[in-house]
Amino acid sequence: MCSHQPSCPSSDSHAPHVVSAHPEQGWSLLCNGAIVFDDSGELLPDGRVVAPHRVPVARLAMAA
């Protein structure tokens, strides 16, 4: 799917580029075929699902 030279990292990496953003729907397609969601979840090209992994706002406030 990726046409970058050199090609983008695999779906296990966090460095691929957004090729199609749909903020009104809450998701973006990356050049490696993964779909990332605004809630931080992911759908990988091989069908695996990465559950959302946001840090709760209350935990961020306590860290400051």
Side-chain angles (χ1 to χ4, degrees), residues 16-33:
H17 301 275
V18 173
V19 294
S20 182
H22 297 276
E24 71 284 357
Q25 296 176 353
W27 63 275
S28 296
L29 174 65
L30 303 180
C31 63
N32 63 6

Side-chain angles (χ1 to χ4, degrees), residues 3-21:
S3 61
H4 295 108
Q5 292 300 325
S7 61
C8 287
S10 70
S11 60
D12 296 332
S13 174
H14 293 289
H17 301 275
V18 173
V19 294
S20 182

Side-chain angles (χ1 to χ4, degrees), residues 25-53:
Q25 296 176 353
W27 63 275
S28 296
L29 174 65
L30 303 180
C31 63
N32 63 6
I35 298 172
V36 293
F37 298 93
D38 289 351
D39 69 356
S40 73
E42 300 176 37
L43 179 59
L44 302 178
D46 63 4
R48 289 182 294 146
V49 174
V50 177
H53 48 275

